[in-house]
mmCIF file of all heavy atoms in Angstrom:
data_model
loop_
_atom_site.group_PDB
_atom_site.id
_atom_site.type_symbol
_atom_site.label_atom_id
_atom_site.label_comp_id
_atom_site.label_asym_id
_atom_site.label_seq_id
_atom_site.Cartn_x
_atom_site.Cartn_y
_atom_site.Cartn_z
ATOM 1 N N SER O 1 19.042 -15.240 3.983
ATOM 2 C CA SER O 1 19.357 -14.707 5.309
ATOM 3 C C SER O 1 18.060 -14.284 6.001
ATOM 4 O O SER O 1 17.012 -14.146 5.367
ATOM 5 C CB SER O 1 20.274 -13.483 5.176
ATOM 6 O OG SER O 1 19.578 -12.433 4.518
ATOM 7 N N LYS O 2 18.179 -14.074 7.298
ATOM 8 C CA LYS O 2 17.023 -13.579 8.050
ATOM 9 C C LYS O 2 16.647 -12.178 7.576
ATOM 10 O O LYS O 2 15.454 -11.841 7.510
ATOM 11 C CB LYS O 2 17.295 -13.596 9.545
ATOM 12 C CG LYS O 2 16.096 -13.197 10.369
ATOM 13 C CD LYS O 2 16.234 -13.492 11.846
ATOM 14 C CE LYS O 2 17.338 -12.685 12.450
ATOM 15 N NZ LYS O 2 17.256 -12.624 13.920
ATOM 16 N N ALA O 3 17.637 -11.387 7.212
ATOM 17 C CA ALA O 3 17.355 -10.036 6.690
ATOM 18 C C ALA O 3 16.467 -10.127 5.461
ATOM 19 O O ALA O 3 15.538 -9.329 5.295
ATOM 20 C CB ALA O 3 18.655 -9.321 6.358
ATOM 21 N N ARG O 4 16.694 -11.120 4.601
ATOM 22 C CA ARG O 4 15.865 -11.261 3.395
ATOM 23 C C ARG O 4 14.435 -11.675 3.773
ATOM 24 O O ARG O 4 13.476 -11.315 3.079
ATOM 25 C CB ARG O 4 16.455 -12.321 2.448
ATOM 26 C CG ARG O 4 17.736 -11.914 1.842
ATOM 27 C CD ARG O 4 17.527 -10.962 0.705
ATOM 28 N NE ARG O 4 18.771 -10.722 0.032
ATOM 29 C CZ ARG O 4 19.018 -9.695 -0.740
ATOM 30 N NH1 ARG O 4 18.080 -8.800 -0.957
ATOM 31 N NH2 ARG O 4 20.191 -9.548 -1.299
ATOM 32 N N MET O 5 14.278 -12.392 4.869
ATOM 33 C CA MET O 5 12.931 -12.735 5.328
ATOM 34 C C MET O 5 12.189 -11.474 5.767
ATOM 35 O O MET O 5 11.023 -11.255 5.405
ATOM 36 C CB MET O 5 12.992 -13.732 6.486
ATOM 37 C CG MET O 5 13.572 -15.074 6.105
ATOM 38 S SD MET O 5 13.766 -16.138 7.574
ATOM 39 C CE MET O 5 15.101 -17.203 7.034
ATOM 40 N N PHE O 6 12.875 -10.601 6.521
ATOM 41 C CA PHE O 6 12.264 -9.357 6.935
ATOM 42 C C PHE O 6 11.946 -8.498 5.701
ATOM 43 O O PHE O 6 10.878 -7.873 5.630
ATOM 44 C CB PHE O 6 13.186 -8.577 7.872
ATOM 45 C CG PHE O 6 13.165 -9.058 9.293
ATOM 46 C CD1 PHE O 6 14.341 -9.379 9.959
ATOM 47 C CD2 PHE O 6 11.968 -9.221 9.992
ATOM 48 C CE1 PHE O 6 14.339 -9.826 11.253
ATOM 49 C CE2 PHE O 6 11.956 -9.659 11.308
ATOM 50 C CZ PHE O 6 13.141 -9.963 11.954
ATOM 51 N N GLU O 7 12.850 -8.475 4.740
ATOM 52 C CA GLU O 7 12.612 -7.725 3.508
ATOM 53 C C GLU O 7 11.398 -8.289 2.760
ATOM 54 O O GLU O 7 10.617 -7.523 2.176
ATOM 55 C CB GLU O 7 13.849 -7.738 2.605
ATOM 56 C CG GLU O 7 14.954 -6.848 3.129
ATOM 57 C CD GLU O 7 16.235 -6.976 2.318
ATOM 58 O OE1 GLU O 7 16.330 -7.865 1.460
ATOM 59 O OE2 GLU O 7 17.146 -6.156 2.567
ATOM 60 N N GLY O 8 11.252 -9.614 2.798
ATOM 61 C CA GLY O 8 10.067 -10.232 2.163
ATOM 62 C C GLY O 8 8.780 -9.742 2.801
ATOM 63 O O GLY O 8 7.799 -9.467 2.114
ATOM 64 N N LEU O 9 8.790 -9.612 4.145
ATOM 65 C CA LEU O 9 7.602 -9.081 4.838
ATOM 66 C C LEU O 9 7.356 -7.612 4.457
ATOM 67 O O LEU O 9 6.216 -7.213 4.235
ATOM 68 C CB LEU O 9 7.773 -9.198 6.357
ATOM 69 C CG LEU O 9 7.514 -10.559 6.970
ATOM 70 C CD1 LEU O 9 7.770 -10.500 8.466
ATOM 71 C CD2 LEU O 9 6.114 -11.063 6.700
ATOM 72 N N LEU O 10 8.416 -6.839 4.379
ATOM 73 C CA LEU O 10 8.279 -5.438 3.993
ATOM 74 C C LEU O 10 7.745 -5.310 2.581
ATOM 75 O O LEU O 10 6.901 -4.451 2.285
ATOM 76 C CB LEU O 10 9.619 -4.706 4.141
ATOM 77 C CG LEU O 10 10.068 -4.502 5.594
ATOM 78 C CD1 LEU O 10 11.537 -4.054 5.643
ATOM 79 C CD2 LEU O 10 9.184 -3.483 6.311
ATOM 80 N N ASP O 11 8.216 -6.185 1.685
ATOM 81 C CA ASP O 11 7.709 -6.186 0.285
ATOM 82 C C ASP O 11 6.221 -6.503 0.262
ATOM 83 O O ASP O 11 5.454 -5.836 -0.447
ATOM 84 C CB ASP O 11 8.486 -7.206 -0.561
ATOM 85 C CG ASP O 11 9.905 -6.786 -0.859
ATOM 86 O OD1 ASP O 11 10.218 -5.582 -0.720
ATOM 87 O OD2 ASP O 11 10.701 -7.669 -1.242
ATOM 88 N N LEU O 12 5.822 -7.529 1.013
ATOM 89 C CA LEU O 12 4.394 -7.883 1.058
ATOM 90 C C LEU O 12 3.546 -6.742 1.612
ATOM 91 O O LEU O 12 2.465 -6.450 1.098
ATOM 92 C CB LEU O 12 4.189 -9.148 1.901
ATOM 93 C CG LEU O 12 4.661 -10.456 1.281
ATOM 94 C CD1 LEU O 12 4.506 -11.592 2.289
ATOM 95 C CD2 LEU O 12 3.872 -10.775 0.010
ATOM 96 N N MET O 13 4.054 -6.114 2.646
ATOM 97 C CA MET O 13 3.357 -4.991 3.258
ATOM 98 C C MET O 13 3.185 -3.858 2.244
ATOM 99 O O MET O 13 2.063 -3.331 2.077
ATOM 100 C CB MET O 13 4.190 -4.490 4.450
ATOM 101 C CG MET O 13 3.573 -3.441 5.278
ATOM 102 S SD MET O 13 4.683 -2.833 6.605
ATOM 103 C CE MET O 13 5.494 -4.312 7.150
ATOM 104 N N GLU O 14 4.235 -3.532 1.537
ATOM 105 C CA GLU O 14 4.191 -2.467 0.551
ATOM 106 C C GLU O 14 3.209 -2.786 -0.575
ATOM 107 O O GLU O 14 2.406 -1.962 -0.987
ATOM 108 C CB GLU O 14 5.580 -2.195 -0.004
ATOM 109 C CG GLU O 14 5.690 -0.908 -0.772
ATOM 110 C CD GLU O 14 7.131 -0.475 -0.960
ATOM 111 O OE1 GLU O 14 8.016 -1.352 -1.106
ATOM 112 O OE2 GLU O 14 7.367 0.731 -0.951
ATOM 113 N N GLN O 15 3.248 -4.026 -1.047
ATOM 114 C CA GLN O 15 2.339 -4.463 -2.116
ATOM 115 C C GLN O 15 0.880 -4.350 -1.672
ATOM 116 O O GLN O 15 0.022 -3.862 -2.431
ATOM 117 C CB GLN O 15 2.650 -5.888 -2.552
ATOM 118 C CG GLN O 15 3.946 -6.041 -3.313
ATOM 119 C CD GLN O 15 4.383 -7.499 -3.439
ATOM 120 O OE1 GLN O 15 3.596 -8.402 -3.214
ATOM 121 N NE2 GLN O 15 5.647 -7.692 -3.785
ATOM 122 N N GLU O 16 0.602 -4.827 -0.466
ATOM 123 C CA GLU O 16 -0.777 -4.790 0.023
ATOM 124 C C GLU O 16 -1.280 -3.366 0.184
ATOM 125 O O GLU O 16 -2.401 -3.038 -0.219
ATOM 126 C CB GLU O 16 -0.882 -5.534 1.373
ATOM 127 C CG GLU O 16 -2.290 -5.718 1.869
ATOM 128 C CD GLU O 16 -2.401 -6.583 3.094
ATOM 129 O OE1 GLU O 16 -1.578 -7.519 3.259
ATOM 130 O OE2 GLU O 16 -3.313 -6.321 3.897
ATOM 131 N N LEU O 17 -0.444 -2.489 0.751
ATOM 132 C CA LEU O 17 -0.846 -1.095 0.932
ATOM 133 C C LEU O 17 -1.041 -0.379 -0.419
ATOM 134 O O LEU O 17 -2.000 0.349 -0.597
ATOM 135 C CB LEU O 17 0.180 -0.345 1.782
ATOM 136 C CG LEU O 17 0.157 -0.706 3.276
ATOM 137 C CD1 LEU O 17 1.367 -0.084 3.991
ATOM 138 C CD2 LEU O 17 -1.142 -0.277 3.941
ATOM 139 N N GLN O 18 -0.103 -0.630 -1.352
ATOM 140 C CA GLN O 18 -0.230 0.008 -2.653
ATOM 141 C C GLN O 18 -1.481 -0.444 -3.372
ATOM 142 O O GLN O 18 -2.124 0.333 -4.078
ATOM 143 C CB GLN O 18 1.026 -0.252 -3.509
ATOM 144 C CG GLN O 18 2.262 0.460 -3.002
ATOM 145 C CD GLN O 18 2.062 1.960 -2.786
ATOM 146 O OE1 GLN O 18 1.398 2.622 -3.546
ATOM 147 N NE2 GLN O 18 2.642 2.484 -1.716
ATOM 148 N N GLN O 19 -1.843 -1.714 -3.221
ATOM 149 C CA GLN O 19 -3.098 -2.232 -3.812
ATOM 150 C C GLN O 19 -4.280 -1.459 -3.227
ATOM 151 O O GLN O 19 -5.184 -1.040 -3.970
ATOM 152 C CB GLN O 19 -3.212 -3.718 -3.544
ATOM 153 C CG GLN O 19 -4.534 -4.326 -3.938
ATOM 154 C CD GLN O 19 -4.633 -4.532 -5.446
ATOM 155 O OE1 GLN O 19 -3.630 -4.628 -6.129
ATOM 156 N NE2 GLN O 19 -5.842 -4.547 -5.958
ATOM 157 N N GLU O 20 -4.289 -1.284 -1.925
ATOM 158 C CA GLU O 20 -5.382 -0.553 -1.292
ATOM 159 C C GLU O 20 -5.423 0.902 -1.747
ATOM 160 O O GLU O 20 -6.497 1.455 -2.016
ATOM 161 C CB GLU O 20 -5.266 -0.626 0.237
ATOM 162 C CG GLU O 20 -5.550 -2.028 0.783
ATOM 163 C CD GLU O 20 -5.637 -2.054 2.297
ATOM 164 O OE1 GLU O 20 -6.258 -1.132 2.860
ATOM 165 O OE2 GLU O 20 -5.085 -2.998 2.885
ATOM 166 N N PHE O 21 -4.257 1.518 -1.874
ATOM 167 C CA PHE O 21 -4.206 2.910 -2.317
ATOM 168 C C PHE O 21 -4.685 3.052 -3.749
ATOM 169 O O PHE O 21 -5.351 4.036 -4.076
ATOM 170 C CB PHE O 21 -2.779 3.461 -2.192
ATOM 171 C CG PHE O 21 -2.298 3.625 -0.778
ATOM 172 C CD1 PHE O 21 -0.969 3.862 -0.509
ATOM 173 C CD2 PHE O 21 -3.161 3.532 0.312
ATOM 174 C CE1 PHE O 21 -0.508 4.008 0.797
ATOM 175 C CE2 PHE O 21 -2.744 3.676 1.621
ATOM 176 C CZ PHE O 21 -1.389 3.907 1.867
ATOM 177 N N ARG O 22 -4.358 2.083 -4.619
ATOM 178 C CA ARG O 22 -4.853 2.121 -6.004
ATOM 179 C C ARG O 22 -6.379 2.147 -6.050
ATOM 180 O O ARG O 22 -6.978 2.908 -6.789
ATOM 181 C CB ARG O 22 -4.309 0.932 -6.814
ATOM 182 C CG ARG O 22 -2.954 1.183 -7.446
ATOM 183 C CD ARG O 22 -2.593 0.131 -8.469
ATOM 184 N NE ARG O 22 -2.360 -1.180 -7.884
ATOM 185 C CZ ARG O 22 -1.223 -1.541 -7.294
ATOM 186 N NH1 ARG O 22 -0.215 -0.696 -7.236
ATOM 187 N NH2 ARG O 22 -1.078 -2.739 -6.817
ATOM 188 N N VAL O 23 -6.981 1.298 -5.217
ATOM 189 C CA VAL O 23 -8.459 1.248 -5.167
ATOM 190 C C VAL O 23 -8.989 2.619 -4.692
ATOM 191 O O VAL O 23 -9.957 3.143 -5.250
ATOM 192 C CB VAL O 23 -8.945 0.111 -4.249
ATOM 193 C CG1 VAL O 23 -10.436 0.195 -4.008
ATOM 194 C CG2 VAL O 23 -8.558 -1.245 -4.845
ATOM 195 N N ILE O 24 -8.368 3.187 -3.657
ATOM 196 C CA ILE O 24 -8.791 4.487 -3.140
ATOM 197 C C ILE O 24 -8.713 5.541 -4.243
ATOM 198 O O ILE O 24 -9.641 6.324 -4.462
ATOM 199 C CB ILE O 24 -7.935 4.901 -1.931
ATOM 200 C CG1 ILE O 24 -8.282 4.021 -0.710
ATOM 201 C CG2 ILE O 24 -8.139 6.384 -1.589
ATOM 202 C CD1 ILE O 24 -7.319 4.107 0.455
ATOM 203 N N PHE O 25 -7.604 5.563 -4.986
ATOM 204 C CA PHE O 25 -7.412 6.568 -6.008
ATOM 205 C C PHE O 25 -8.354 6.365 -7.187
ATOM 206 O O PHE O 25 -8.771 7.325 -7.835
ATOM 207 C CB PHE O 25 -5.949 6.572 -6.493
ATOM 208 C CG PHE O 25 -5.057 7.405 -5.613
ATOM 209 C CD1 PHE O 25 -4.742 6.995 -4.324
ATOM 210 C CD2 PHE O 25 -4.513 8.588 -6.082
ATOM 211 C CE1 PHE O 25 -3.941 7.752 -3.510
ATOM 212 C CE2 PHE O 25 -3.705 9.360 -5.268
ATOM 213 C CZ PHE O 25 -3.400 8.947 -3.982
ATOM 214 N N GLN O 26 -8.727 5.113 -7.462
ATOM 215 C CA GLN O 26 -9.642 4.834 -8.561
ATOM 216 C C GLN O 26 -11.082 5.186 -8.212
ATOM 217 O O GLN O 26 -11.868 5.579 -9.079
ATOM 218 C CB GLN O 26 -9.566 3.377 -8.995
ATOM 219 C CG GLN O 26 -8.266 3.031 -9.719
ATOM 220 C CD GLN O 26 -8.061 1.525 -9.832
ATOM 221 O OE1 GLN O 26 -8.882 0.717 -9.384
ATOM 222 N NE2 GLN O 26 -6.962 1.141 -10.429
ATOM 223 N N THR O 27 -11.440 5.066 -6.957
ATOM 224 C CA THR O 27 -12.841 5.219 -6.577
ATOM 225 C C THR O 27 -13.166 6.563 -5.930
ATOM 226 O O THR O 27 -14.322 6.876 -5.740
ATOM 227 C CB THR O 27 -13.292 4.083 -5.629
ATOM 228 O OG1 THR O 27 -12.412 4.065 -4.489
ATOM 229 C CG2 THR O 27 -13.239 2.744 -6.325
ATOM 230 N N HIS O 28 -12.155 7.345 -5.565
ATOM 231 C CA HIS O 28 -12.377 8.639 -4.928
ATOM 232 C C HIS O 28 -11.563 9.706 -5.638
ATOM 233 O O HIS O 28 -10.342 9.574 -5.772
ATOM 234 C CB HIS O 28 -12.008 8.608 -3.436
ATOM 235 C CG HIS O 28 -12.868 7.670 -2.651
ATOM 236 N ND1 HIS O 28 -12.633 6.317 -2.575
ATOM 237 C CD2 HIS O 28 -13.998 7.884 -1.946
ATOM 238 C CE1 HIS O 28 -13.560 5.743 -1.824
ATOM 239 N NE2 HIS O 28 -14.393 6.674 -1.441
ATOM 240 N N LYS O 29 -12.218 10.759 -6.050
ATOM 241 C CA LYS O 29 -11.545 11.831 -6.782
ATOM 242 C C LYS O 29 -11.132 12.977 -5.874
ATOM 243 O O LYS O 29 -10.199 13.708 -6.177
ATOM 244 C CB LYS O 29 -12.439 12.359 -7.915
ATOM 245 C CG LYS O 29 -12.791 11.287 -8.946
ATOM 246 C CD LYS O 29 -11.548 10.624 -9.497
ATOM 247 C CE LYS O 29 -11.886 9.439 -10.394
ATOM 248 N NZ LYS O 29 -10.756 8.545 -10.596
ATOM 249 N N GLN O 30 -11.835 13.169 -4.764
ATOM 250 C CA GLN O 30 -11.511 14.263 -3.852
ATOM 251 C C GLN O 30 -10.258 13.937 -3.067
ATOM 252 O O GLN O 30 -10.157 12.892 -2.424
ATOM 253 C CB GLN O 30 -12.646 14.504 -2.873
ATOM 254 C CG GLN O 30 -13.649 15.545 -3.327
ATOM 255 C CD GLN O 30 -14.499 15.963 -2.153
ATOM 256 O OE1 GLN O 30 -14.811 15.168 -1.263
ATOM 257 N NE2 GLN O 30 -14.851 17.247 -2.125
ATOM 258 N N ALA O 31 -9.314 14.864 -3.111
ATOM 259 C CA ALA O 31 -8.037 14.643 -2.415
ATOM 260 C C ALA O 31 -8.225 14.481 -0.908
ATOM 261 O O ALA O 31 -7.555 13.655 -0.287
ATOM 262 C CB ALA O 31 -7.081 15.790 -2.718
ATOM 263 N N GLU O 32 -9.117 15.245 -0.336
ATOM 264 C CA GLU O 32 -9.356 15.146 1.119
ATOM 265 C C GLU O 32 -9.837 13.749 1.493
ATOM 266 O O GLU O 32 -9.379 13.167 2.489
ATOM 267 C CB GLU O 32 -10.386 16.192 1.525
ATOM 268 C CG GLU O 32 -10.560 16.351 3.001
ATOM 269 C CD GLU O 32 -11.582 17.420 3.315
ATOM 270 O OE1 GLU O 32 -11.385 18.574 2.896
ATOM 271 O OE2 GLU O 32 -12.577 17.091 3.992
ATOM 272 N N ALA O 33 -10.766 13.192 0.684
ATOM 273 C CA ALA O 33 -11.234 11.821 0.940
ATOM 274 C C ALA O 33 -10.118 10.822 0.773
ATOM 275 O O ALA O 33 -10.008 9.867 1.549
ATOM 276 C CB ALA O 33 -12.392 11.487 0.013
ATOM 277 N N ARG O 34 -9.255 11.048 -0.216
ATOM 278 C CA ARG O 34 -8.122 10.143 -0.438
ATOM 279 C C ARG O 34 -7.198 10.131 0.777
ATOM 280 O O ARG O 34 -6.748 9.085 1.221
ATOM 281 C CB ARG O 34 -7.339 10.552 -1.675
ATOM 282 C CG ARG O 34 -8.041 10.246 -2.982
ATOM 283 C CD ARG O 34 -7.242 10.745 -4.141
ATOM 284 N NE ARG O 34 -7.818 10.309 -5.409
ATOM 285 C CZ ARG O 34 -7.326 10.640 -6.594
ATOM 286 N NH1 ARG O 34 -6.255 11.415 -6.692
ATOM 287 N NH2 ARG O 34 -7.899 10.210 -7.688
ATOM 288 N N VAL O 35 -6.899 11.327 1.312
ATOM 289 C CA VAL O 35 -6.010 11.420 2.481
ATOM 290 C C VAL O 35 -6.630 10.658 3.645
ATOM 291 O O VAL O 35 -5.982 9.842 4.297
ATOM 292 C CB VAL O 35 -5.754 12.897 2.861
ATOM 293 C CG1 VAL O 35 -5.091 12.987 4.229
ATOM 294 C CG2 VAL O 35 -4.891 13.570 1.807
ATOM 295 N N GLN O 36 -7.905 10.924 3.897
ATOM 296 C CA GLN O 36 -8.599 10.246 5.003
ATOM 297 C C GLN O 36 -8.553 8.731 4.853
ATOM 298 O O GLN O 36 -8.219 7.989 5.787
ATOM 299 C CB GLN O 36 -10.048 10.729 5.101
ATOM 300 C CG GLN O 36 -10.838 10.026 6.183
ATOM 301 C CD GLN O 36 -12.314 10.426 6.199
ATOM 302 O OE1 GLN O 36 -12.736 11.275 5.420
ATOM 303 N NE2 GLN O 36 -13.069 9.811 7.102
#
């Protein structure tokens, strides 16, 4: 369905953001820097 296509985009978006957040959390220990 078209709804599943939109869900596929949302899944990709979530995966990409979580990948970026993992890198941030691995490379920065200060919480303030992580938030920024």
Side-chain angles (χ1 to χ4, degrees):
S1 66
K2 185 167 63 162
R4 292 282 187 200
M5 295 175 206
F6 281 128
E7 287 174 351
L9 281 178
L10 290 167
D11 289 342
L12 288 175
M13 186 184 321
E14 194 163 35
Q15 289 166 16
E16 188 173 328
L17 287 171
Q18 291 308 321
Q19 173 76 25
E20 290 189 42
F21 292 167
R22 272 192 293 279
V23 171
I24 289 168
F25 276 69
Q26 289 166 1
T27 56
H28 296 84
K29 299 305 173 198
Q30 268 196 324
E32 189 179 301
R34 287 177 173 179
V35 169
Q36 177 184 358

